[in-house]
Amino acid sequence: MAVCCHLPLALNAPPNKPESESIESTIQLVEIAKIRMDGGTQPRSKLYEDVVAEYAEDMKQGATFPPVVIYYDGKDYWLADGFHRVRAKEAIDEKEISAEVFPGELRDAVLHSVGANAAHGLRRTNADKRRAVIRLVRDREWRKWSDREIARRCGVSAKLVGSARKELSAAFPQIENDDQENMNPNTRIAMRGGTVYEIDTTGIRQGTQIEEKKPRRKRTKKKSEIAQPSASQSKDVEKGDIWKLGKSHYLFCGDPSSKRFQKLLPSAVGLFLFFLETRDNWPQAIPENSMNALLFYTSYGEDLHLETLRGITEYCLSGTTDANDPVVMVGLIDPSLFILIDELECPCYCAETDPQRCSDALTAWSITNQISKKVIDLSRKCA
């Protein structure tokens, strides 16, 4: 029997294996239909179809692959490592796959996944590494860890963690501030020799001054939480405009039923996001090409706590989409949602009827230092 050499087993356990010796794994044959892959445990920015095809062909030739890694919570099997292998098994109509199964919950699987492939398997891209870091830095608990601890878990440099933390803190101020009542913002959680302890980073941040604690954002406070760029960064948007943000996002200022917007949309939609303005404008039906949908309405209007909205949107995106799955968004209640969706590696197509909200979105986007330009519609210009 041939032995596949694509995924050599590492001599040392990956960084995120359970550190307690009391947690033991077992090798099992697990039904692929029972494996959950929708919990945000995908460690890569995207799956490579050519790799899936190559693995599938090797499997048909009798090659043996290492077991995938799964965490079982008594109800669900959460895939933590081995997405290409599972997809390859599905491609050749296999119903089961060999798996190393650990007792644990979804969060255990996520924590394992961020370091998966650091020492074995298909080499990670910079986008893969960044995705892993972002996953921990955005988490309410894990972001309290020191840069060095997060780097150890993800198998990356502490410099990358610090850079990602800084960027996210600028785009989403609540990442540093929402836990300040319970924890000093200059305190980080670290681990050494199996012991968890706090470290004070006050004197470590060279060249920066420690800011006074800001009060927690109150519901009555109007948006936005995003720092206001200079006036030169703001852009005027008119009804009917189409703007391209970055390499893969589109913002249409107008009715979502417009033919101009409909022409932009992909043939398949990973997630349909609909932010309702009033109780009366519920859509008649969810588009047939949408695999998942989130319809959101709040009576708070512009007084909505944006941190709450972003959390709902992020968890929905993480739980229902893979990297590169298109997202269609109707309504732009929070101007920073494009930034959030971009961080999760999904292209976004948005329709917003209010030109001011569209302009706010472009202003917020400027913090990413990516392009935003108006798309010229030649047919409309000649009409």
Side-chain angles (χ1 to χ4, degrees), residues 13-17 19 111 114-116 118 124 133 136 145-158 161 190-194:
N16 299 317
K17 287 280 183 127
E19 297 185 0
L111 197 54
V114 294
R124 294 188 301 177
V133 171
L136 295 194
W145 289 355
S146 67
D147 289 356
R148 180 170 297 180
E149 177 63 15
I150 292 178
R152 185 183 74 85
R153 295 281 183 164
C154 296
V156 300
S157 69
V161 178
M191 179 182 296
R192 183 174 297 165

Side-chain angles (χ1 to χ4, degrees), residues 163-181:
S163 174
R165 197 192 294 272
K166 182 178 180 181
E167 290 177 16
L168 286 179
S169 295
F172 301 96
Q174 78 278 2
I175 284 182
E176 288 292 343
N177 296 330
D178 65 355
D179 287 316
Q180 61 186 4
E181 292 183 354

Side-chain angles (χ1 to χ4, degrees), residues 227-276:
Q228 295 297 324
S230 64
S232 62
Q233 292 175 310
S234 61
K235 298 182 180 180
D236 294 329
V237 179
E238 298 179 354
K239 287 273 190 176
D241 282 355
I242 297 175
W243 287 77
K244 186 173 183 181
L245 286 68
K247 297 180 179 179
S248 56
H249 309 299
Y250 288 91
L251 172 61
F252 172 67
C253 184
D255 191 324
S257 62
S258 166
K259 290 183 179 179
R260 298 190 69 219
F261 180 63
Q262 295 297 318
K263 288 181 180 179
L264 294 174
L265 302 184
S267 58
V269 177
L271 177 63
F272 177 66
L273 291 171
F274 196 109
F275 297 106
L276 292 83

Side-chain angles (χ1 to χ4, degrees), residues 294-305:
L294 171 66
L295 278 65
F296 184 90
Y297 168 75
T298 176
S299 60
Y300 290 113
E302 291 192 350
D303 288 336
L304 171 67
H305 193 197

Side-chain angles (χ1 to χ4, degrees), residues 6-7 44 48 51 55 84 117 120-125 128:
H6 292 290
L7 295 167
R44 297 189 183 279
Y48 298 90
V51 174
Y55 285 4
H84 284 96
N117 305 119
H120 68 275
L122 183 66
R123 184 175 181 178
R124 294 188 301 177
T125 64
D128 294 338

Side-chain angles (χ1 to χ4, degrees), residues 166 202-210:
K166 182 178 180 181
T202 302
I204 297 178
R205 301 180 182 182
Q206 298 180 356
T208 62
Q209 296 181 348
I210 305 302

Side-chain angles (χ1 to χ4, degrees), residues 307-318:
E307 177 197 338
T308 301
L309 176 65
R310 292 167 189 164
I312 292 171
T313 306
E314 178 180 359
Y315 281 118
C316 187
L317 281 162
S318 298

